[in-house]
């Protein structure tokens, strides 16, 4: 695509969408460490200077992708929970995990945000990401409490943190490379059993039951 300077906010958002789409396509073909701003610019037919008008690093692109995925995840979760009538804990956990697997980039990238991604982005990009994150968090907390009224807002927030900080480790366990799987096999460990979805439902249920029995206001 030939580069044309964005002259208003709508055109700028179109350029941003083009950049994130190109990054997603590159990640389907290349390991992230092999992707460079030069490769991204070439895919877009942008010069480096043109690309840098919108993003200063590939980690800024990842931040934008995660932000959009997080918004879509929250909207899908809301729809899935609202479709349940008087949900049991089993119903809730199933809907939660079914939503989670639709957005694997969240499970893959979120644990890396604090240590890697956010340290390589500009304040200009990080502020709107944080603002969006906390707005979505408040929305999801309300959806959780509505579906599971035995939980309060503080407990609901802990469940979101569990989703973003703990479930990704289980997700990676079920998405290891062939080298990792072979290493586990030769180490004498049987490796993960069943499917990620089944195990994740169990883990979410265990965590929610723990929240039911934990006073976070002490």
């Amino acid at each position: 695509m030939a580069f044309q300077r964005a002259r208003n906010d709508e055109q700028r958002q179109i350029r941003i969408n083009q950049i994130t789409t190109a990054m997603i396509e590159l990640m389907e073909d290349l390991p992230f460490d092999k992707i460079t701003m030069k490769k991204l610019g070439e895919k877009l037919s942008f010069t480096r200077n043109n690309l840098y008008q919108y993003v200063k690093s590939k980690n800024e692109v990842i931040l934008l992708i995660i932000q959009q995925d997080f918004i879509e995840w929250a909207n899908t979760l809301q729809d899935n929970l609202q479709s349940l009538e008087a949900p049991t804990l089993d119903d809730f956990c199933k809907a939660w995990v079914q939503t989670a697997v639709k957005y694997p980039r969240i499970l893959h990238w979120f644990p890396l945000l604090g240590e890697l991604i956010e340290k390589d982005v500009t304040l200009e990009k990080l502020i709107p990401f944080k603002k969006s994150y906390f707005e979505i968090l408040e929305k999801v907390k309300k959806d959780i409490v509505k579906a599971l009224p035995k939980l309060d807002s503080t407990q609901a927030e802990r469940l979101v943190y569990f989703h973003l900080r703990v479930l990704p480790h289980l997700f990676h366990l079920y998405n290891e490379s062939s080298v990792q799987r072979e290493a586990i096999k030769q180490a004498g460990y049987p490796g993960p059993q069943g499917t990620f979805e089944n195990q994740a439902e169990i883990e979410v249920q265990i965590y929610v039951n723990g929240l039911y029995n934990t006073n976070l206001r002490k």
Side-chain angles (χ1 to χ4, degrees), residues 13-14 27 31 56 61 66 87 89 93 99-100 105 115 126 136-137 142 151 154-155 172 193-194 197 202 213 216-217:
Q13 187 57 52
I14 290 173
M27 289 192 296
K56 298 296 189 291
V61 186
I66 295 174
L89 181 53
C93 294
T99 307
R105 285 192 295 265
E115 287 300 314
L126 191 55
I136 295 167
L137 176 62
K142 292 177 182 177
L151 294 181
T154 301
Q155 292 169 319
H172 284 289
Q193 305 297 308
E197 289 86 345
I202 293 170
N213 295 288
L216 298 179
R217 298 184 180 277

Side-chain angles (χ1 to χ4, degrees), residues 117-135:
I117 306 301
E118 292 183 359
K119 292 181 179 180
D120 186 42
V121 302
T122 62
L123 184 62
E124 177 189 8
K125 289 294 190 299
L126 191 55
I127 289 173
F129 174 81
K130 292 293 189 182
K131 181 179 179 180
S132 176
Y133 168 78
F134 289 119
E135 288 175 351

Side-chain angles (χ1 to χ4, degrees), residues 19-29 61 65 69 105:
I19 292 168
T20 55
T21 298
M23 175 62 85
I24 290 169
E25 291 175 355
L26 281 174
M27 289 192 296
E28 292 175 354
D29 298 325
V61 186
I65 292 171
D69 280 1
R105 285 192 295 265

Side-chain angles (χ1 to χ4, degrees), residues 89-90 93-94 97 162 167 170 174 193-209:
L89 181 53
D90 283 345
C93 294
K94 186 177 292 292
V97 173
F162 172 84
L167 273 191
L170 183 65
Y174 280 87
Q193 305 297 308
T195 65
F196 166 74
E197 289 86 345
N198 289 340
Q199 293 303 313
E201 286 181 28
I202 293 170
E203 295 297 330
V204 173
Q205 188 166 119
I206 290 171
Y207 194 77
V208 172
N209 277 320

